[in-house]
Amino acid sequence: MPPQGVVERAAWLRGEIERHNHAYYVLDAPTIPDAEYDKLFRELQDLEQQYPDLLTADSPTQRVGAPPLKEFQPHAHGVPMLSLNNAFAPEEVEAFDKRVRDGLETIAAIDYAVEPKFDGLAISLTYENGIFLRGATRGDGVTGEEVTPNLRTLRDIPLRLQGEGWPKRIEIRGEVLMFKADFAELNARQRERGEKEFANPRNAAAGSLRQLDSRITAGRPLSFFAYGVGLGSDAVAATTHAELMDRLAAWGFPVAAERRVVQGARGLLSYFNEIGEKRPELPYDIDGVVYKVNRLDWQAALGFVSRAPRFAIAHKFPAEEALTEVLGIDVQVGRTGAITPVARLKPVFVGGVTVTNATLHNADEVRRKDVRVGDTVIVRRAGDVIPEVVASVPEKRPMRDLFGGEPLQSPFELPGNCPECGSRIVKGEDEAIARCTGGLYCPAQRKQALWHFAARRAMDIEGLGDKLVDQLVEAGLVHTPADLYALTVEQLAGLERMGEKSARNLVDAIAASRQTTLARFIFALGIRNVGEATARDLAKHFGSLDALLVADSDALQAVPDVGPIVAASIAAFFGEAHNREVIEGLRRAGVQWPEGKPEPAGPQLLVGKTLVLTGTLPTLKRDEAKARIEAAGGKVAGSVSKKTDYVVAGEEAGSKLEKALELGIPVIDEAALLSLLEQGVQE
Ligand code: 9MJ
């Protein structure tokens, strides 16, 4: 039972705090300075911790996220929080193992408890009588910042220890971190709200934990893993670190599933390699592994050198992130014309290699991260992934004068023209990727354009494969597809792995491709968004290349299945003078096809209507009827369903007619179809 007056005091504190909360949050009119409020709040928290019976479910201390604090309070750790010495090379690990054996005066292989090294924030949690009392960051190892209300919002941190065997007062040591998936989700959310994104899970975890307003922390997906005990460790019934970890798990703390006990330096190094391989699949970031002498009495015997234990070491992976300076921002042109901004960097050693360039992905990303020339940036190279600029460090941005003012460099702008061919660069409103419009003319896109041109479904040039295209371009023999038709046997026979006979065959195949169809030719041009089917539709609809060349967006959209995006791609392609030059070059080289009459682009009277043809019509052939319905914007389906608008029935109509009658779908004859095509649906 709490002493006299304590129950009353707690009740009074609850009333006061609620009153101030209401004034602060609801009325927006604070009635007390923040520091005073903090005092009341802490007093109530302390009372409730001391006398858990006092704690009521509705106490303001039980809210998820307490009201903002003015500043963090210092917290002296019961036992200092150690740092670990680092090892990067196998020899350093062997030297560590040797020091341990020398210290223990043994030649036997040592048992080591090994575990991943979480890349988060070290914290210490104090429990009294099994109740979570206080939590603090590591700080300088001796004194940290108290972040109790924030830590209370973490579901991984037990407010009351489970099981038994915990000392009256104990400090649990561990790491607060953010899982990779949670980090990605948080950043997506920040982006949607137009708020700042975090550079990596570690920064996100640190930023989330060091919030004066714990309601913000409560909304952040933080996790916790325990890896040690500070004060009270000697009162835990465990003789090894592994047993200690088992106790922590039994009391309700998450502990690393990958922890293990291994023997000797060899065991350490093979664990390092094993975790290194698993690293990309782990749900959280780690920056190495930690080796600890397993026997606790041996740990005590080895003791400490300055602030780091002699019994443990961190074996770190090469850093995946580093700071460096942006010397310039260039753009690269991909094989499909996609423009990628690339940061030229002051060389920096990261992820085990020296990095001088890093991708900035696309123009929107550069603007979002606001990376400018001269900026100091965080560069990341994880595994074999291409190096990327993660974020710019705004505090280090060069300014016009010492006292701030304007930044020296303005925000990044995409160049207007392709650095490879000078063609215009365009970017759709809601597209992330900007593209060079050079198409057939752009050297960066040349190989891709030629592979496509020669493909079986395009100009069908037998024997002109990817490798040969590469050779032709690299030898400077071919710039545009039109150059293919000027190649000679002598030129080709001079290429690697190309005999006289295959050179002759290729020249013949190229010559044979001169006679083609309009549909193949349109497809071969490699216009964005124009596949084989669209090329066929365009050829059929316009009948001649000249008719297609002059078609504007509206005229293009009269073609079945051509919408505004495809129409824009086509118009943009033919709008580029150099693409027209290549087309002219091909015609001059003798590329030809039989030209037909353009199909009249009739009025679009059947848009949105689905018709089914069945039986033999008196005058119209089936294909003809289909073409005219499609030319009027209608669809021809193969079977009758509730979505069918009309069934056009001729002689010997069969089951489709029956189905139409069954479903009550209008059945019309050829005459009615012709009137539909001319006058549309009379409703
Ligand atoms: C991390 N960061 O995962 C220790 N750590 O032990 C592990 N850190 C540590 N142990 C003593 N697993 C001091 C720090």
Side-chain angles (χ1 to χ4, degrees):
M1 237 354 233
Q4 255 231 308
V6 169
V7 179
E8 291 76 9
R9 177 74 185 164
W12 181 82
L13 285 167
R14 276 198 286 270
E16 280 297 282
I17 292 168
E18 283 302 1
R19 191 166 64 77
H20 296 309
N21 276 353
H22 186 254
Y24 186 95
Y25 291 114
V26 183
L27 308 178
D28 215 9
T31 38
I32 181 176
D34 289 351
E36 292 296 312
Y37 177 94
D38 291 352
K39 247 203 229 157
L40 295 176
F41 197 88
R42 278 176 216 281
E43 187 185 341
L44 180 59
Q45 265 184 334
D46 287 350
L47 283 179
E48 288 173 344
Q49 252 125 35
Q50 226 177 324
Y51 308 105
D53 287 349
L54 276 181
L55 190 59
T56 57
D58 64 350
S59 171
T61 58
Q62 298 309 293
R63 284 180 190 279
V64 180
L69 305 174
K70 226 170 102 221
E71 59 180 23
F72 297 116
Q73 298 296 310
H75 170 88
H77 299 299
V79 164
M81 289 183 79
L82 308 168
S83 51
L84 294 172
N85 286 326
N86 291 327
F88 288 94
E91 303 78 66
E92 294 174 85
V93 173
E94 279 156 9
F96 160 73
D97 174 60
K98 179 158 191 323
R99 282 197 304 276
V100 166
R101 282 184 288 119
D102 288 350
L104 296 171
E105 293 175 11
T106 174
I107 51 161
I110 306 289
D111 274 359
Y112 291 101
V114 294
E115 56 208 27
K117 184 170 187 308
F118 300 107
D119 194 9
L121 272 102
I123 56 154
S124 179
L125 308 168
T126 306
Y127 286 79
E128 221 171 74
N129 299 316
I131 307 281
F132 175 47
L133 187 64
R134 215 160 267 152
T137 61
R138 179 173 181 279
D140 62 6
V142 175
T143 310
E145 286 177 323
E146 201 211 308
V147 285
T148 312
N150 299 358
L151 289 168
R152 273 182 191 287
T153 69
L154 269 74
R155 272 159 237 284
D156 284 351
I157 294 180
L159 296 177
R160 207 180 264 268
L161 299 182
Q162 296 167 16
E164 55 200 25
W166 18 265
K168 188 169 155 31
R169 196 175 171 94
I170 186 169
E171 284 177 336
I172 308 294
R173 302 281 159 83
E175 204 92 347
V176 165
L177 51 84
M178 199 176 282
F179 278 70
K180 295 177 195 170
D182 291 332
F183 165 74
E185 237 171 73
L186 171 64
N187 259 1
R189 217 163 60 213
Q190 295 285 102
R191 185 158 50 224
E192 270 166 32
R193 294 185 191 153
E195 284 172 27
K196 191 179 156 320
E197 286 180 57
F198 295 98
N200 53 43
R202 207 200 99 81
N203 285 10
S208 302
L209 190 64
R210 292 195 73 265
Q211 289 285 338
L212 287 165
D213 186 343
S214 61
R215 289 163 308 169
I216 297 177
T217 313
R220 301 279 174 79
L222 293 173
S223 300
F224 175 75
F225 283 97
Y227 54 64
V229 173
L231 189 85
S233 62
D234 41 7
V236 179
T239 57
T240 62
H241 181 74
E243 278 174 28
L244 190 67
M245 297 299 283
D246 291 342
R247 289 289 107 74
L248 293 181
W251 296 338
F253 293 101
V255 291
E258 294 77 13
R259 71 189 199 283
R260 190 103 33 93
V261 175
V262 301
Q263 280 81 43
R266 250 209 241 179
L268 298 178
L269 294 173
S270 89
Y271 180 74
F272 179 79
N273 291 334
E274 180 193 322
I275 294 292
E277 272 169 34
K278 275 200 197 150
R279 187 183 186 191
E281 280 88 52
L282 289 177
Y284 42 72
D285 279 347
I286 61 173
D287 56 352
V289 293
V290 181
Y291 310 140
K292 296 172 181 170
V293 169
N294 197 27
R295 271 178 62 166
L296 298 176
D297 57 340
W298 281 359
Q299 289 192 1
L302 285 161
F304 304 87
V305 250
S306 68
R307 292 260 291 286
R310 273 203 198 87
F311 57 81
I313 199 162
H315 189 179
K316 304 267 280 265
F317 299 125
E320 293 191 324
E321 289 189 355
L323 287 179
T324 189
E325 207 178 295
V326 178
L327 303 177
I329 301 177
D330 294 345
V331 298
Q332 269 175 3
V333 195
R335 282 198 321 235
T336 60
I339 300 286
T340 307
V342 175
R344 306 272 167 238
L345 304 170
K346 199 160 137 188
V348 61
F349 191 73
V350 55
V353 299
T354 300
V355 169
T356 51
N357 298 318
T359 182
L360 284 157
H361 301 292
N362 59 58
D364 289 349
E365 281 279 297
V366 189
R367 218 152 311 126
R368 197 170 56 70
K369 292 175 180 163
D370 192 15
V371 178
R372 307 188 190 187
V373 175
D375 277 7
T376 297
V377 289
I378 302 171
V379 178
R380 181 175 174 81
R381 183 191 176 270
D384 291 332
V385 183
I386 49 171
E388 63 165 350
V389 173
V390 177
S392 171
V393 184
E395 304 85 66
K396 299 202 173 178
R397 169 163 296 161
M399 303 304 254
R400 277 203 191 288
D401 54 64
L402 277 177
F403 309 104
E406 287 291 296
L408 210 51
Q409 298 279 343
S410 36
F412 171 77
E413 295 274 359
L414 263 184
N417 297 86
C418 172
E420 297 275 347
C421 71
S423 304
R424 276 182 317 120
I425 289 175
V426 295
K427 176 172 168 300
E429 265 304 303
D430 28 74
E431 253 199 318
I433 308 289
R435 286 175 197 280
C436 162
T437 53
L440 303 178
Y441 172 80
C442 178
Q445 299 172 66
R446 199 168 286 157
K447 286 182 186 173
Q448 168 99 349
L450 285 163
W451 297 337
H452 179 79
F453 184 83
R456 200 162 49 78
R457 283 157 44 224
M459 299 300 278
D460 193 18
I461 305 177
E462 220 186 305
L464 185 52
D466 298 0
K467 295 247 163 57
L468 194 49
V469 165
D470 291 356
Q471 282 192 65
L472 290 171
V473 170
E474 280 153 27
L477 291 174
V478 173
H479 295 91
T480 78
D483 298 337
L484 290 171
Y485 295 91
L487 287 172
T488 63
V489 173
E490 293 71 44
Q491 279 173 325
L492 289 173
L495 295 174
E496 221 177 290
R497 283 194 303 268
M498 175 70 88
E500 169 91 19
K501 186 159 186 295
S502 21
R504 190 167 300 281
N505 286 345
L506 183 58
V507 169
D508 289 347
I510 292 172
S513 77
R514 280 197 176 93
Q515 194 61 47
T516 185
T517 65
L518 178 56
R520 277 179 178 272
F521 184 78
I522 295 169
F523 177 59
L525 294 175
I527 304 166
R528 242 169 83 67
N529 299 315
V530 176
E532 219 178 347
T534 307
R536 228 179 286 132
D537 289 347
L538 289 167
K540 205 157 106 189
H541 183 90
F542 290 101
S544 74
L545 183 63
D546 291 323
L548 174 62
L549 287 175
V550 297
D552 63 10
S553 177
D554 282 349
L556 288 164
Q557 286 184 60
V559 180
D561 292 330
V562 172
I565 294 175
V566 180
S569 296
I570 300 168
F573 184 89
F574 292 126
E576 295 294 334
H578 46 74
N579 287 337
R580 282 171 176 263
E581 276 162 28
V582 172
I583 291 169
E584 277 321 303
L586 285 165
R587 289 216 261 207
R588 272 200 307 277
V591 175
Q592 55 178 306
W593 51 85
E595 297 219 320
K597 269 210 297 269
E599 280 173 19
Q604 299 288 291
L605 295 170
L606 292 184
V607 171
K609 299 292 175 200
T610 302
L611 290 82
V612 171
L613 301 169
T614 177
T616 315
L617 300 176
T619 62
L620 284 175
K621 282 207 188 90
R622 194 188 169 75
D623 282 356
E624 224 175 315
K626 182 167 184 276
R628 291 191 55 180
I629 292 166
E630 286 174 347
K635 266 215 180 101
V636 176
S639 61
V640 180
S641 74
K642 277 188 286 189
K643 291 189 191 141
T644 310
D645 292 290
Y646 296 98
V647 170
V648 186
E651 294 242 344
E652 287 177 29
S655 60
K656 290 180 191 172
L657 177 59
E658 277 168 35
K659 186 80 190 276
L661 296 171
E662 190 187 315
L663 293 174
I665 292 176
V667 176
I668 58 173
D669 60 7
E670 187 187 273
L673 171 63
L674 292 172
S675 105
L676 269 185
L677 289 168
E678 273 153 35
Q679 290 155 35
V681 181
Q682 310 292 310
E683 282 173 300

